[in-house]
PDB file of all heavy atoms in Angstrom:
ATOM      1  N   GLU B  32     112.093  41.337 108.393  1.00 92.00           N
ATOM      2  CA  GLU B  32     112.938  40.875 107.293  1.00 92.00           C
ATOM      3  C   GLU B  32     112.417  41.393 105.945  1.00 92.00           C
ATOM      4  O   GLU B  32     113.170  41.903 105.118  1.00 92.00           O
ATOM      5  CB  GLU B  32     112.924  39.339 107.331  1.00 92.00           C
ATOM      6  CG  GLU B  32     113.837  38.637 106.364  1.00 92.00           C
ATOM      7  CD  GLU B  32     113.532  37.132 106.339  1.00 92.00           C
ATOM      8  OE1 GLU B  32     113.339  36.542 107.443  1.00 92.00           O
ATOM      9  OE2 GLU B  32     113.441  36.581 105.246  1.00 92.00           O
ATOM     10  N   MET B  33     111.101  41.284 105.758  1.00 93.00           N
ATOM     11  CA  MET B  33     110.516  41.730 104.493  1.00 93.00           C
ATOM     12  C   MET B  33     110.613  43.242 104.330  1.00 93.00           C
ATOM     13  O   MET B  33     110.854  43.750 103.234  1.00 93.00           O
ATOM     14  CB  MET B  33     109.051  41.282 104.403  1.00 93.00           C
ATOM     15  CG  MET B  33     108.911  39.791 104.162  1.00 93.00           C
ATOM     16  SD  MET B  33     107.198  39.226 104.254  1.00 93.00           S
ATOM     17  CE  MET B  33     106.565  39.808 102.679  1.00 93.00           C
ATOM     18  N   LEU B  34     110.450  43.935 105.439  1.00 90.00           N
ATOM     19  CA  LEU B  34     110.521  45.398 105.394  1.00 90.00           C
ATOM     20  C   LEU B  34     111.946  45.842 105.053  1.00 90.00           C
ATOM     21  O   LEU B  34     112.158  46.743 104.232  1.00 90.00           O
ATOM     22  CB  LEU B  34     110.073  45.972 106.741  1.00 90.00           C
ATOM     23  CG  LEU B  34     109.735  47.457 106.796  1.00 90.00           C
ATOM     24  CD1 LEU B  34     108.729  47.839 105.728  1.00 90.00           C
ATOM     25  CD2 LEU B  34     109.192  47.815 108.177  1.00 90.00           C
ATOM     26  N   ALA B  35     112.920  45.208 105.672  1.00 89.00           N
ATOM     27  CA  ALA B  35     114.317  45.543 105.391  1.00 89.00           C
ATOM     28  C   ALA B  35     114.631  45.296 103.917  1.00 89.00           C
ATOM     29  O   ALA B  35     115.316  46.085 103.263  1.00 89.00           O
ATOM     30  CB  ALA B  35     115.244  44.713 106.274  1.00 89.00           C
ATOM     31  N   LYS B  36     114.082  44.215 103.395  1.00 91.00           N
ATOM     32  CA  LYS B  36     114.312  43.869 102.004  1.00 91.00           C
ATOM     33  C   LYS B  36     113.691  44.932 101.087  1.00 91.00           C
ATOM     34  O   LYS B  36     114.314  45.394 100.126  1.00 91.00           O
ATOM     35  CB  LYS B  36     113.706  42.489 101.722  1.00 91.00           C
ATOM     36  CG  LYS B  36     114.137  41.875 100.429  1.00 91.00           C
ATOM     37  CD  LYS B  36     114.045  40.343 100.494  1.00 91.00           C
ATOM     38  CE  LYS B  36     114.448  39.694  99.174  1.00 91.00           C
ATOM     39  NZ  LYS B  36     113.339  39.653  98.189  1.00 91.00           N
ATOM     40  N   LYS B  37     112.468  45.318 101.417  1.00 91.00           N
ATOM     41  CA  LYS B  37     111.797  46.341 100.614  1.00 91.00           C
ATOM     42  C   LYS B  37     112.585  47.648 100.634  1.00 91.00           C
ATOM     43  O   LYS B  37     112.690  48.345  99.630  1.00 91.00           O
ATOM     44  CB  LYS B  37     110.379  46.583 101.125  1.00 91.00           C
ATOM     45  CG  LYS B  37     109.352  45.637 100.495  1.00 91.00           C
ATOM     46  CD  LYS B  37     107.950  46.046 100.907  1.00 91.00           C
ATOM     47  CE  LYS B  37     106.929  44.953 100.601  1.00 91.00           C
ATOM     48  NZ  LYS B  37     106.383  45.018  99.240  1.00 91.00           N
ATOM     49  N   ALA B  38     113.114  47.984 101.816  1.00 89.00           N
ATOM     50  CA  ALA B  38     113.881  49.223 101.932  1.00 89.00           C
ATOM     51  C   ALA B  38     115.157  49.142 101.100  1.00 89.00           C
ATOM     52  O   ALA B  38     115.555  50.102 100.449  1.00 89.00           O
ATOM     53  CB  ALA B  38     114.210  49.500 103.395  1.00 89.00           C
ATOM     54  N   GLU B  39     115.773  47.990 101.127  1.00 88.00           N
ATOM     55  CA  GLU B  39     117.008  47.819 100.359  1.00 88.00           C
ATOM     56  C   GLU B  39     116.761  47.831  98.860  1.00 88.00           C
ATOM     57  O   GLU B  39     117.586  48.298  98.087  1.00 88.00           O
ATOM     58  CB  GLU B  39     117.669  46.479 100.731  1.00 88.00           C
ATOM     59  CG  GLU B  39     118.876  46.627 101.630  1.00 88.00           C
ATOM     60  CD  GLU B  39     119.164  45.339 102.368  1.00 88.00           C
ATOM     61  OE1 GLU B  39     119.256  44.290 101.695  1.00 88.00           O
ATOM     62  OE2 GLU B  39     119.280  45.385 103.609  1.00 88.00           O
ATOM     63  N   GLU B  40     115.600  47.283  98.486  1.00 90.00           N
ATOM     64  CA  GLU B  40     115.311  47.150  97.061  1.00 90.00           C
ATOM     65  C   GLU B  40     114.658  48.378  96.442  1.00 90.00           C
ATOM     66  O   GLU B  40     114.395  48.400  95.241  1.00 90.00           O
ATOM     67  CB  GLU B  40     114.416  45.933  96.829  1.00 90.00           C
ATOM     68  CG  GLU B  40     115.186  44.631  96.930  1.00 90.00           C
ATOM     69  CD  GLU B  40     114.273  43.418  96.924  1.00 90.00           C
ATOM     70  OE1 GLU B  40     113.034  43.589  96.920  1.00 90.00           O
ATOM     71  OE2 GLU B  40     114.812  42.296  96.922  1.00 90.00           O
ATOM     72  N   ALA B  41     114.370  49.381  97.272  1.00 91.00           N
ATOM     73  CA  ALA B  41     113.741  50.586  96.727  1.00 91.00           C
ATOM     74  C   ALA B  41     114.628  51.144  95.614  1.00 91.00           C
ATOM     75  O   ALA B  41     115.847  51.177  95.744  1.00 91.00           O
ATOM     76  CB  ALA B  41     113.560  51.624  97.835  1.00 91.00           C
ATOM     77  N   SER B  42     114.003  51.573  94.534  1.00 93.00           N
ATOM     78  CA  SER B  42     114.793  52.045  93.390  1.00 93.00           C
ATOM     79  C   SER B  42     115.590  53.292  93.790  1.00 93.00           C
ATOM     80  O   SER B  42     115.174  54.054  94.651  1.00 93.00           O
ATOM     81  CB  SER B  42     113.877  52.342  92.210  1.00 93.00           C
ATOM     82  OG  SER B  42     112.943  53.328  92.590  1.00 93.00           O
TER      83      SER B  42
END
Side-chain angles (χ1 to χ4, degrees):
Chain B
E32 186 190 317
M33 287 173 76
L34 195 53
K36 193 154 179 277
K37 272 187 194 273
E39 256 159 52
E40 284 171 356
S42 59

